[in-house]
Amino acid sequence: QSILQNLEGSIYFPQIKGNGFKTHFRYLVMDLFGPSLSNTRRQMKDRHYTLSTTLRLGVYMLQCIEEFHNHGYIHCDIKPGNYLLQPDSPCPIVLIDYGLSRQYIDPKTNEPVPENKVAGFVGTSKYMSIQVHQGCDTCPRDDIISLCYSLVEMIGGRLPWRLTEEAQMKKILKMKKTLPLDEVFGSLPPQIQTMYKYAMKLKYLDKPNYKLLFFLLNDAI
């Protein structure tokens, strides 16, 4: 609820309509949107989006991520299932589910929270970055990498590493490390691979160059 309250007034996230406390329960009323990009994809012919739709959605997905980061948070679970369609808005999707999100910018210092050198992995294994797999603390970089993997799934209908059970974590990590990038991103324009390579070079304290990322997406379009 605290994150939702801090996101108040933004078109990129659901808005709180009311909250309070009754005798036996607390309640929260918020916007209802949907379906998700993931559920919508499954209803498409051949269970994937067209290239044009994938790239255009990518722009909106990145807008949501940048706005979330600008509020001082990292989402930590970027995937098509966490984007819901919203009608009648300049941005046709909203980013939801902040259960794994964390504060990255300390509101007192306006600087990044010190890196935790022994961080457990958080997120959905299918979409998480190699760095998170290896126990690095989450940072803006990881949301961008998860976006790149999401675009691969949206255009192809699946990722090369489909199994998501925890027992498969080592196998997924090995595939992410060893599969040629041309094979992973081959169904997308080369600009998306460039996005991925750029994000992979970012360190914990680095702020992503969102203008560059938007340029690459629009150039691909």
Side-chain angles (χ1 to χ4, degrees):
Q1 183 179 327
S2 62
I3 293 180
L4 264 175
Q5 287 172 331
N6 287 334
L7 299 173
E8 201 169 352
S10 174
I11 63 170
Y12 301 103
F13 316 103
Q15 298 298 298
I16 295 177
K17 301 300 183 184
N19 65 91
F21 181 74
K22 294 294 183 183
T23 310
H24 300 295
F25 58 86
R26 294 183 182 276
Y27 67 88
L28 173 68
V29 183
M30 58 187 282
D31 288 321
L32 174 65
F33 294 121
S36 70
L37 292 185
S38 182
N39 286 337
T40 307
R41 175 187 64 75
R42 294 189 185 99
Q43 295 167 8
M44 304 294 286
K45 185 184 177 185
D46 301 325
R47 297 170 69 86
H48 67 82
Y49 291 110
T50 64
L51 178 57
S52 173
T53 299
T54 298
L55 294 174
R56 282 168 168 76
L57 283 172
V59 172
Y60 292 120
M61 293 165 81
L62 182 59
Q63 285 177 359
C64 294
I65 291 172
E66 181 184 19
E67 183 84 354
F68 201 71
H69 290 174
N70 285 342
H71 279 82
Y73 298 104
I74 310 163
H75 190 274
C76 301
D77 199 18
I78 293 294
K79 58 185 179 182
N82 280 337
Y83 286 94
L84 304 184
L85 299 178
Q86 66 165 334
D88 307 319
S89 171
C91 183
I93 55 176
V94 290
L95 177 60
I96 63 158
D97 194 353
Y98 321 124
L100 298 175
S101 303
R102 75 177 188 89
Q103 196 146 43
Y104 174 70
I105 300 296
D106 185 330
K108 293 178 182 176
T109 64
N110 213 28
E111 295 291 331
V113 174
E115 183 176 6
N116 184 352
K117 297 295 185 183
V118 192
F121 55 77
V122 293
T124 304
S125 55
K126 201 160 47 159
Y127 308 97
M128 69 173 59
S129 69
I130 290 172
Q131 291 88 334
V132 173
H133 270 286
Q134 294 174 328
C136 295
D137 205 358
T138 49
C139 64
R141 163 200 67 213
D142 304 301
D143 284 347
I144 305 299
I145 291 172
S146 294
L147 170 62
C148 293
Y149 289 150
S150 296
L151 296 177
V152 171
E153 184 180 70
M154 288 161 64
I155 184 63
R158 64 183 182 88
L159 281 158
W161 43 87
R162 276 185 288 179
L163 302 167
T164 56
E165 292 81 4
E166 296 311 304
Q168 302 290 334
M169 290 288 279
K170 288 182 179 177
K171 186 175 180 181
I172 292 171
L173 174 58
K174 185 178 179 182
M175 290 181 76
K176 286 177 181 175
K177 285 172 120 179
T178 58
L179 277 179
L181 293 184
D182 286 343
E183 186 175 329
V184 177
F185 295 100
S187 54
L188 290 160
Q191 292 90 337
I192 309 306
Q193 190 178 140
T194 302
M195 275 180 64
Y196 177 80
K197 288 178 179 175
Y198 166 77
M200 284 292 289
K201 290 178 181 175
L202 295 173
K203 307 297 184 199
Y204 178 83
L205 293 174
D206 292 340
K207 181 179 180 179
N209 183 341
Y210 301 103
K211 282 187 177 178
L212 171 65
L213 297 171
F214 281 118
F215 170 80
L216 289 168
L217 276 168
N218 284 306
D219 195 44
I221 292 170

